Amino acid sequence: MMLFKPVFLWTDMLLWLLLAGVAFYVWRVRLHEHLREPWRRLLRSRSGVASAVVLLAFVAVGVLDSLHFRLPLEKQGNGAETHYSPEVLSVFDLMVGPLRKQVEKTYSAPFASQLYTKETIELPGGKQVRDYPRLKFGGAHLREPAREQAGDVAVTALQGGVYALALCGGLTFMLALWLARRRSISPGAAWTMIRHGRDEIPWRTFLSTVGLLALFVCLATAFSAKYHIFGTDKVGQDVFYLALKSIRTGLMIGTLTTLVMLPFALLLGIMAGYFRGWVDDVIQYTYTTLSSIPGVLLIAAAVLILQVYMDSNQELFDTVAARADIRLLFLCVILGITSWTGLCRLLRGETLKVREMEFIQAATAFGVGHFRIIARHILPNVMHIVLISIVLDFSALVLAEAVLSYVGVGVDPSMQSWGNMINGARLEMAREPMVWWSLLAAFVFMFVLVLSANLFSDRVRDAFDPRVR
Amino acid sequence: MINYIIRRILYAIPILIGVNLLTFALFFVVNTPDNMARIHLGVKHVTPEAIMKWKHERGYDKPLMWNSAAQGAKQASDTIFFEKSVGMFAFDFGRSDEGRDIAHDIKTRMWPSLAIALPVFMVGLAVNITFAMLMAFFRATYIDLSGVVLCVAMMSVSGLFYIIGGQYLVSKLLHLTPISGFDAGSNALKFIILPVVIGVIGGIGSGARWYRTIFLEETSRDYVRTARAKGLSELSVLFGHVLKNAMIPILTGAVVVIPLLFMGSLISESFFGIPGLGSYTIDAINAQDFAVVRAMVFLGSVLYIVGLILTDISYTLVDPRIRLE
């Protein structure tokens, strides 16, 4: 019997493929000085470092949430075949165990110890009163929440703060040691260098961003064991957990879309610019036609059709997660089809310019084949456009997910995503008294991710665009 | 000029044919009329007779492209393709799956859409250019820097939050305007103000930043240095020279969206309950009314291509160097 049964979702595998690609790119960048230079320039800017740290934190959550498996159910009798739970979990789910399992009955406000709605409670004497019942998990350790809570929150915050401080101290120490080794100076000198910001990389910004992150993580860990930080939703699930799970959906939409469209855009854009003539005409016609269809409508049409297909072929998907996953993947493909035209046009224009340069003419004169010229001479010279547009598109795609889910053509309703959270919040806003916390959670998470992606993409453009230099 | 416009219009025809074929393939080949009927009648417990009846009522029971059972010209015309897709070139959109006349719906619903989208566009353009000019005037100072930071922060907020926040603040807390709805004539004003204001605010982040880049690119040109060298004040350089020259890149982005204003905005119309084309499309998507979605896809493409042609024409109006031949 196995401890668990791995589940390979399509989007997971594509994400790992993408990570492998990134690893390959990093390996190449380390080898070549001219590739390393723009990244160095990026790391010298303070907003570049800060946004990169925040993005990495989001990516870490997304990657941990992309290792899926199913746990076995209780065995029934000896020798019986092991059955696995239909619920698909991820490594991230295990790490935040209490968050996932502490499910209340219905809405409860952030840091509340009572439900948000009144219920009839039976008192020990047999009498019945209508009151706000205590939560099963949130603040359950308190005897008299009204009196004890403020003190308990302060103590827990202090605890979290101390952990964060210890974490940061350890990290700073390790950074100083590492820097001392690298620059072959004494650790004391390295520490002075960090403190006065004398190194080319803004370590102070790095440390303060990491410090803020560590503080957030420590506080969140300390509090989420006892309270619901962002309250609970209609079916009592922890909103903080839902917002964390949504990170994966947002990252998938933002990255896989580009991964899907990249081969088309690269191949067709370079072909159009390189071969010109009728090839160019056909490719230009294709992307003009596709780009003249309003994007949202094309996506809506395609997703409607996918729904019809999935409804008539339900036997293809064995778990709810697999079904939602296919829809996510398809959404990425459709978003890719509607968004590759912009990159394709840029690549065509750049290739038209590059192919007239002397080194291409020299290669042609030496009798180098078309394929080799494209792969060895043109591709490396247009890669900066690809990189800039990948990073620029990311934040737009994360925002698009919310809008599409609102329109009803986004990710599967069973999948946690910020768009679905906002969509659900529309009805909660109309309630009296209002339920505002899931909207707040979605807002905070989306804002931080998109803001850091926007800042990062600005720095990437500054570092890679030859016109800006 | 006239020759050029005619040629551009002729050039648009193959693109429209492409759009038409693509939508036809999406809606009738990938997704067969049988599937559509099942979606509408319910996936389970549906008899073949009911499906046939549903298809017959909407004319979906004909052959797709070629009717070999018919005679003469009817072989090509008595098909789904001819009746549902070719007619769109004459703006004959047929009937929705619910049986309503789509062309009539579009005619009545485009005015509310325009009532929101046009003010958002005009006011938004003015506001964005003003902010961008301010930032360009104070470039490389803390005013410029904080302006850019504010723009990036505003860009990072999803449009949905502007609408939800605005509705909550203005309508629910302050009771200044109704939360949603629409009315005819001058009564519409109180319903229009909030969506317009929110639309403008939501667009400032990306708009002002984009125009700022354009202005800064222009201010690094030689003619700006010449203008400064002959002693013009920074203000008259900005308004007299930079703004005029920046009109070309501004027009590229702005004119192309003008025809699309008729289509309205999907999100804000559905939030504010405005009976325009945007909410029409959303309703059609939610009701899975394929005929309406197909019509809107085609209409959107036509308007986009009209916008491209208008952009080219507007170049000649602002840039005397460009002659369209």
Side-chain angles (χ1 to χ4, degrees):
Chain A
M1 175 189 145
M2 278 168 72
L3 274 174
F4 61 89
K5 177 180 174 185
V7 176
F8 299 104
L9 297 177
W10 278 100
T11 48
D12 289 350
M13 289 191 278
L14 283 172
L15 186 77
W16 292 106
L17 184 75
L18 184 71
L19 286 180
V22 171
F24 174 72
Y25 175 74
V26 170
W27 174 73
R28 269 187 64 87
V29 166
R30 285 179 71 90
L31 288 183
H32 299 279
E33 176 58 33
H34 69 280
L35 292 177
R36 224 162 41 197
E37 180 50 34
W39 286 109
R40 248 196 224 133
R41 215 169 340 190
L42 180 89
L43 288 183
R44 271 184 228 133
S45 80
R46 279 186 295 173
S47 63
V49 169
S51 55
V53 170
V54 177
L55 281 180
L56 276 179
F58 274 95
V59 170
V61 173
V63 169
L64 283 174
D65 206 5
S66 297
L67 285 165
H68 286 100
F69 52 83
R70 286 158 70 179
L71 290 176
L73 292 169
E74 296 279 323
K75 238 184 184 175
Q76 299 188 341
N78 259 343
E81 202 185 332
T82 323
H83 289 282
Y84 292 93
S85 154
E87 193 186 15
V88 178
L89 295 177
S90 72
V91 172
F92 183 73
D93 286 328
L94 290 192
M95 286 171 60
V96 295
L99 274 179
R100 182 171 62 86
K101 288 182 194 136
Q102 295 182 350
V103 176
E104 307 288 350
K105 207 165 174 187
T106 180
Y107 292 120
S108 68
F111 290 100
S113 49
Q114 285 171 325
L115 270 189
Y116 203 56
T117 46
K118 276 191 175 172
E119 272 183 8
T120 310
I121 307 169
E122 207 155 312
L123 293 178
K127 257 180 22 179
Q128 288 183 337
V129 284
R130 281 199 60 82
D131 198 6
Y132 300 104
R134 287 290 300 271
L135 294 181
K136 272 185 280 181
F137 301 98
H141 59 294
L142 306 173
R143 195 169 292 162
E144 275 179 78
R147 224 157 41 89
E148 298 167 25
Q149 194 176 18
D152 185 61
V153 167
V155 170
T156 319
L158 205 66
Q159 247 173 20
V162 170
Y163 284 136
L165 215 61
L167 205 66
C168 276
L171 206 92
T172 315
F173 183 67
M174 266 153 61
L175 179 72
L177 283 185
W178 177 79
L179 210 62
R181 256 188 77 130
R182 243 195 109 101
R183 305 264 191 275
S184 26
I185 44 178
S186 75
W191 165 238
T192 328
M193 202 162 83
I194 292 172
R195 215 180 39 181
H196 293 290
R198 283 212 199 103
D199 198 49
E200 54 171 2
I201 295 171
W203 290 115
R204 272 188 305 184
T205 316
F206 173 80
L207 281 176
S208 39
T209 319
V210 172
L212 273 178
L213 267 177
L215 185 67
F216 172 76
V217 172
C218 290
L219 285 181
T221 323
F223 276 119
S224 60
K226 300 177 185 170
Y227 297 100
H228 299 288
I229 300 178
F230 277 112
T232 52
D233 71 351
K234 191 170 182 194
V235 291
Q237 277 192 299
D238 192 297
V239 172
F240 182 54
Y241 170 69
L242 294 181
L244 284 172
K245 289 286 280 181
S246 305
I247 291 176
R248 175 179 181 268
T249 314
L251 287 178
M252 287 288 181
I253 296 265
T255 52
L256 289 194
T257 301
T258 331
L259 185 75
V260 168
M261 70 141 179
L262 203 55
F264 295 99
L266 264 179
L267 190 75
L268 295 181
I270 292 180
M271 268 171 63
Y274 184 78
F275 291 112
R276 298 192 290 195
W278 67 269
V279 179
D280 189 17
D281 288 341
V282 169
I283 292 171
Q284 272 199 65
Y285 171 73
T286 313
Y287 70 59
T288 319
T289 306
L290 271 179
S291 67
S292 65
I293 301 176
V296 183
L297 290 179
L298 187 62
I299 294 166
V303 171
L304 280 185
I305 287 156
L306 177 80
Q307 259 171 354
V308 174
Y309 175 79
M310 297 215 309
D311 283 343
S312 36
N313 296 292
Q314 278 179 348
E315 68 284 352
L316 287 179
F317 314 103
D318 54 344
T319 56
V320 181
R323 199 181 140 82
D325 182 68
I326 287 291
R327 180 154 168 175
L328 177 66
L329 180 66
F330 191 77
L331 191 66
C332 292
V333 172
I334 290 295
L335 275 168
I337 289 176
T338 53
S339 65
W340 68 278
T341 51
L343 179 61
C344 189
R345 185 175 297 150
L346 287 176
L347 284 172
R348 174 182 167 271
E350 191 69 14
T351 312
L352 277 174
K353 254 191 279 172
V354 172
R355 85 186 290 281
E356 297 304 326
M357 294 195 173
E358 283 88 351
F359 61 89
I360 304 282
Q361 284 171 7
T364 320
F366 281 129
V368 181
H370 291 309
F371 181 75
R372 272 187 80 84
I373 290 184
I374 288 180
R376 290 202 61 98
H377 299 293
I378 292 190
L379 195 60
N381 281 301
V382 297
M383 271 326 258
H384 66 277
I385 292 187
V386 174
L387 193 80
I388 293 172
S389 86
I390 290 176
V391 185
L392 274 181
D393 281 352
F394 177 82
S395 51
L397 287 169
V398 174
L399 291 178
E401 185 273 321
V403 171
L404 290 177
S405 295
Y406 172 77
V407 179
V409 294
V411 296
D412 196 79
S414 72
M415 184 167 238
Q416 293 96 345
S417 88
W418 294 313
N420 282 339
M421 283 170 80
I422 298 170
N423 201 5
R426 253 187 334 143
L427 297 174
E428 295 168 358
M429 292 285 287
R431 273 177 58 106
E432 208 55 60
M434 202 173 72
V435 173
W436 44 268
W437 41 87
S438 35
L439 199 65
L440 179 78
F443 172 78
V444 170
F445 275 79
M446 262 178 100
F447 181 69
V448 174
L449 175 63
V450 175
L451 182 67
S452 43
N454 275 334
L455 289 174
F456 189 70
S457 69
D458 273 4
R459 292 290 85 81
V460 167
R461 199 176 40 197
D462 289 352
F464 283 85
D465 196 341
R467 281 184 312 170
V468 176
R469 264 177 244 164
Chain B
M1 182 79 180
I2 301 290
N3 273 339
Y4 175 80
I5 294 172
I6 292 173
R7 218 174 52 223
R8 278 303 308 256
I9 292 173
L10 289 180
Y11 191 70
I13 290 174
I15 293 177
L16 284 178
I17 294 177
V19 171
N20 200 310
L21 283 175
L22 191 74
T23 45
F24 176 76
L26 265 179
F27 282 98
F28 288 109
V29 182
V30 179
N31 180 33
T32 61
D34 279 31
N35 285 336
M36 272 190 260
R38 276 200 200 97
I39 285 284
H40 276 268
L41 302 169
V43 178
K44 288 168 193 163
H45 315 301
V46 58
T47 57
E49 290 79 37
I51 291 181
M52 280 309 292
K53 185 165 166 281
W54 190 90
K55 277 161 60 182
H56 184 72
E57 279 165 6
R58 288 157 185 80
Y60 292 157
D61 54 348
K62 293 175 178 154
L64 278 181
M65 303 279 289
W66 190 253
N67 193 348
S68 48
Q71 297 295 316
K74 280 225 152 188
Q75 282 192 326
S77 69
D78 197 22
T79 57
I80 294 181
F81 179 68
F82 190 84
E83 290 196 342
K84 301 289 172 194
S85 278
V86 178
M88 286 210 207
F89 285 107
F91 294 101
D92 169 19
F93 296 114
R95 297 191 164 270
S96 72
D97 289 346
E98 305 298 319
R100 294 171 58 89
D101 182 13
I102 297 179
H104 178 260
D105 276 354
I106 290 176
K107 263 180 224 141
T108 48
R109 297 195 117 195
M110 66 189 213
W111 300 114
S113 279
L114 208 59
I116 308 284
L118 195 64
V120 169
F121 173 74
M122 308 278 274
V123 179
L125 201 63
V127 169
N128 291 349
I129 289 182
T130 315
F131 273 117
M133 297 265 290
L134 268 175
M135 285 191 279
F137 183 73
F138 291 106
R139 65 186 162 276
T141 64
Y142 273 102
I143 298 179
D144 179 28
L145 184 71
S146 44
V148 174
V149 170
L150 191 70
C151 279
V152 176
M154 285 178 82
M155 275 168 69
S156 307
V157 177
S158 166
L160 298 171
F161 289 114
Y162 285 112
I163 298 177
I164 296 174
Q167 268 185 337
Y168 177 72
L169 190 75
V170 177
S171 300
K172 212 168 168 188
L173 281 188
L174 304 174
H175 298 290
L176 291 178
T177 60
I179 288 185
S180 66
F182 197 73
D183 203 349
S186 58
N187 287 335
L189 195 65
K190 64 172 191 262
F191 292 107
I192 287 176
I193 288 179
L194 185 61
V196 169
V197 170
I198 288 176
V200 170
I201 293 177
I204 288 179
S206 54
R209 206 169 80 114
W210 167 239
Y211 293 139
R212 173 185 169 274
T213 331
I214 291 174
F215 286 135
L216 287 188
E217 212 162 277
E218 286 297 324
T219 44
S220 62
R221 298 271 163 95
D222 288 342
Y223 71 86
V224 175
R225 201 188 323 151
T226 315
R228 284 194 196 127
K230 71 181 185 192
L232 285 185
S233 72
E234 190 61 32
L235 265 183
S236 58
V237 171
L238 212 54
F239 279 95
H241 296 265
V242 173
L243 183 60
K244 269 187 186 168
N245 282 287
M247 280 323 274
I248 301 168
I250 289 177
L251 275 176
T252 332
V255 174
V256 73
V257 300
I258 292 178
L260 284 172
L261 295 179
F262 284 100
M263 301 281 287
S265 146
L266 291 182
I267 303 300
S268 92
E269 278 183 21
S270 89
F271 263 104
F272 290 105
I274 286 153
L277 284 182
S279 53
Y280 187 52
T281 316
I282 284 219
D283 292 346
I285 290 171
N286 287 333
Q288 312 209 321
D289 193 325
F290 294 93
V292 175
V293 178
R294 208 174 61 232
M296 298 312 285
V297 167
F298 188 74
L299 186 66
S301 319
V302 172
L303 292 175
Y304 177 76
I305 290 168
V306 171
L308 287 183
I309 296 174
L310 284 182
T311 310
D312 281 352
I313 296 172
S314 66
Y315 280 153
T316 55
L317 300 180
V318 294
D319 192 349
R321 289 171 302 184
I322 297 176
R323 298 249 182 281
L324 300 180
E325 294 300 335

